[in-house]
Amino acid sequence: MNPHAHMKSQSGMSMLRYTVFDGIDLIFLDVKRETIQFYAQSHTKTFAINHCEEGRIECKFSSGEYLYMGPGDMSLGWHIRSDYQHENYFPTKSFKGIVLLVDVERAQPVLDTLVTDTHIDLAELANRFCENADFGMMMEETESVRHIFSSLYAVPDQIKAHYFKLKVIEIFLLLSVISTESHERRVSYRKHQVDTVKKVSKYLSKNFAKRITLDDLSNDFDVPASTLKRCFKGVYGVTIHQFIKECRMNEAKRLLQDTDDSILQIANAVGYENGSKFTSTFKDSIGMTPSDFRKI
């Protein structure tokens, strides 16, 4: 018996929603685009537990605060807070993750019948994690969190109904004993910082074949080098150097597949003067040499 599921799809996005218990929904998101607007209804007693498996997501709040989640990160939000409302952006045009939505008033009696020896107060749990900010709490991956969520992404259809129920209870039990102080990771950015970083990203995406230094970017975009370095990593999850290399490798793959240009010509086209350096970097990044990739 499978749990009740509802699929919603649009260009570059699929959302599969399972009702696990009354008042408790498990949502699987798979996004392959930059922008999607999700407007969570605020002022409701809904507790949201979010997990990022792949890619990156930006949450832009009405307060002007920007928060980011990367692979392994978990966040918790309390919709009753006035500033929970936010828009989402996907800096890497890729995101795969889970949202556990808990309607506290409907879910509490269900949980009470399932966990009889240990009372878990959902409203108290939500307040504890979200007491210091309207959005709530952001946590980096721990072994226990990784174990719970990673197993949810590949469950055989025939056992989903029971498996999801067990995992949801396990998540609540884990949250009931997690210390909010020892796991908190909350680094936020302001609009002008994010806007500058996105301009830098667009510039690099078009000019990755050039030799570009951090100081050049600092001067061109009128931002301190240390601030640019920190904010870029915060938004995109990689350093500027890594971002440039990814752009070069992606273009190199395209040229290897779509043209008959020589390896040296392609190396030069993506910013490498030395063919052997290009081949070595390509193999380290892609897992095979340019020549082998071209044969695929």
Side-chain angles (χ1 to χ4, degrees):
M1 176 181 174
N2 290 329
H4 175 67
H6 175 69
M7 168 70 82
K8 179 181 179 182
S9 297
Q10 55 179 277
S11 178
M13 188 275 284
S14 67
M15 181 175 69
L16 188 57
R17 183 170 186 151
Y18 295 95
T19 297
V20 182
F21 297 111
D22 183 35
I24 301 176
D25 286 359
L26 191 61
I27 303 171
F28 291 81
L29 285 173
D30 193 351
V31 180
K32 302 295 182 188
R33 55 191 288 186
E34 266 191 332
T35 57
I36 292 176
Q37 291 186 340
F38 294 105
Y39 287 106
Q41 186 179 359
S42 60
H43 301 291
T44 62
K45 290 187 177 181
T46 301
F47 185 35
I49 302 163
N50 311 281
H51 180 260
C52 174
E53 176 72 3
E54 298 174 7
R56 200 159 186 83
I57 185 171
E58 168 190 285
C59 299
K60 174 186 175 183
F61 294 88
S62 57
S63 63
E65 187 178 23
Y66 289 71
L67 291 173
Y68 294 85
M69 288 178 63
D73 289 347
M74 180 175 74
S75 67
L76 303 101
W78 197 199
H79 288 204
I80 200 170
R81 301 288 191 174
S82 59
D83 283 343
Y84 184 79
Q85 197 82 330
H86 62 280
E87 299 175 42
N88 290 332
Y89 171 81
F90 304 90
T92 61
K93 298 182 183 180
S94 175
F95 176 80
K96 183 179 179 181
I98 287 175
V99 181
L100 181 62
L101 282 181
V102 185
D103 183 323
V104 169
E105 293 181 334
R106 290 168 55 201
Q108 187 65 61
V110 176
L111 188 61
D112 289 341
T113 61
L114 295 170
V115 185
T116 57
D117 55 343
T118 303
H119 178 65
I120 300 175
D121 188 320
L122 292 174
E124 182 181 313
L125 192 69
N127 285 325
R128 178 164 66 87
F129 280 104
C130 304
E131 63 183 350
N132 295 322
D134 287 325
F135 174 68
M137 180 177 177
M138 190 83 74
M139 297 170 52
E140 289 183 325
E141 185 174 55
T142 63
E143 181 60 29
S144 54
V145 169
R146 186 201 65 79
H147 172 72
I148 290 176
F149 282 98
S150 63
S151 61
L152 285 169
Y153 291 93
V155 182
D157 287 340
Q158 59 267 34
I159 65 169
K160 279 183 178 177
H162 295 300
Y163 196 82
F164 287 166
K165 289 178 180 179
L166 291 172
K167 284 297 178 178
V168 165
I169 295 172
E170 189 176 355
I171 289 170
F172 290 139
L173 289 170
L174 175 64
L175 292 177
S176 71
V177 297
I178 284 181
S179 166
T180 58
E181 294 181 0
S182 60
H183 292 90
E184 174 94 45
R185 181 188 66 79
R186 184 181 177 83
V187 179
S188 64
Y189 303 92
R190 306 303 299 179
K191 185 178 186 302
H192 72 277
Q193 295 175 319
V194 174
D195 287 346
T196 298
V197 164
K198 288 179 180 178
K199 289 178 183 177
V200 171
S201 166
K202 288 183 179 180
Y203 174 80
L204 294 176
S205 296
K206 295 178 180 178
N207 297 278
F208 55 81
K210 298 179 180 179
R211 184 181 181 278
I212 302 171
T213 67
L214 181 62
D215 287 338
D216 291 335
L217 295 171
S218 173
N219 292 329
D220 291 343
F221 290 90
D222 193 25
V223 57
S226 58
T227 300
L228 177 58
K229 183 178 179 181
R230 174 178 57 83
C231 292
F232 194 97
K233 179 70 178 292
V235 173
Y236 289 96
V238 295
T239 65
I240 291 174
H241 173 74
Q242 289 170 325
F243 185 88
I244 293 172
K245 185 169 76 170
E246 287 180 8
C247 289
R248 289 178 170 182
M249 294 301 101
N250 287 335
E251 176 64 6
K253 288 191 293 183
R254 187 191 70 79
L255 292 172
L256 287 166
Q257 291 175 329
D258 298 345
T259 74
D260 294 323
D261 294 348
S262 69
I263 302 299
L264 181 57
Q265 286 175 316
I266 292 174
N268 294 161
V270 299
Y272 292 90
E273 297 179 1
N274 187 299
S276 60
K277 173 64 175 176
F278 166 70
T279 297
S280 175
T281 302
F282 190 94
K283 186 175 181 180
D284 288 342
S285 300
I286 311 303
M288 62 183 75
T289 65
S291 298
D292 289 338
F293 181 85
R294 176 168 260 171
K295 295 174 184 177
I296 296 177

